Amino acid sequence: QVQLVESGGGLVQAGGSLRLSCAASGSIFSRNVMAWYRQAPGKQRELVAGITTAGSTKYSDSVKGRFTISRDNAKNTVYLQMNSLKPEDTAVYYCNTDPPVMDTTKWTAYWGQGTQVTVSS
C-alpha cells in the first residue's frame, strides 16, 4: 500500500525558512527517485526538486540555490529545506516519486494530503 505523508508546512515571513518532511512507504521509496512538488492556487502542480537513490539532485530554476532536498534511506523519509522563502513560494507541497506513483484503482497519479506553506510579505 502506498503511503506518502507530508509535514512541516506553516506560515512564515518572507526571508524565513521551513523544513518539510515526507514519510513514504518502503515499497516505493527504496527504488525510486523521490521529489517534491507544489501547487499554488489556480496553477498546475510543478516539480521543484528531486533526488535519486544515490543522492544526485535536481531543482527547478525558481528554487535553485534556496531549497535543498535530501533523503534518509534508513527512515524512508525525504526532506526539503527551504530558505530565503518568497511569497511566490506559497503553495501546497507534496512529495512523490518522479514520475508520480500510479494509483491503479483509479488510473491516476496517487497524491498524499500535502502540506500548506504560506509566505507572507
Side-chain angles (χ1 to χ4, degrees), residues 69-85:
I69 189 171
S70 60
R71 63 191 290 165
D72 185 332
N73 292 332
K75 296 181 178 179
N76 294 339
T77 300
V78 61
Y79 304 96
L80 187 67
Q81 177 67 43
M82 305 186 296
N83 299 328
S84 302
L85 283 162

Side-chain angles (χ1 to χ4, degrees), residues 54-105:
S56 296
T57 58
K58 65 176 179 181
Y59 299 92
S60 68
D61 288 343
S62 61
V63 308
K64 198 173 297 181
R66 300 187 298 120
F67 290 10
T68 302
I69 189 171
S70 60
R71 63 191 290 165
D72 185 332
N73 292 332
K75 296 181 178 179
N76 294 339
T77 300
V78 61
Y79 304 96
L80 187 67
Q81 177 67 43
M82 305 186 296
N83 299 328
S84 302
L85 283 162
K86 304 176 180 180
E88 51 264 44
D89 295 319
T90 295
V92 179
Y93 284 71
Y94 304 86
C95 72
N96 210 320
T97 57
D98 180 22
V101 66
M102 178 66 70
D103 182 344
T104 55
T105 65

Side-chain angles (χ1 to χ4, degrees), residues 2-26:
V2 175
Q3 285 191 322
L4 295 165
V5 181
E6 301 93 346
S7 62
L11 174 63
V12 64
Q13 288 189 331
S17 298
L18 283 173
R19 188 191 194 209
L20 307 183
S21 299
C22 171
S25 49

Side-chain angles (χ1 to χ4, degrees), residues 4 6 35-49 60 62 90-97 99-101 108-115:
L4 295 165
E6 301 93 346
W36 284 95
Y37 302 76
R38 68 185 181 188
Q39 187 167 22
K43 295 188 177 181
Q44 287 191 332
R45 199 176 336 236
E46 62 171 342
L47 187 150
V48 295
S60 68
S62 61
T90 295
V92 179
Y93 284 71
Y94 304 86
C95 72
N96 210 320
T97 57
V101 66
T108 62
Y110 176 89
W111 295 97
Q113 83 287 351
T115 186

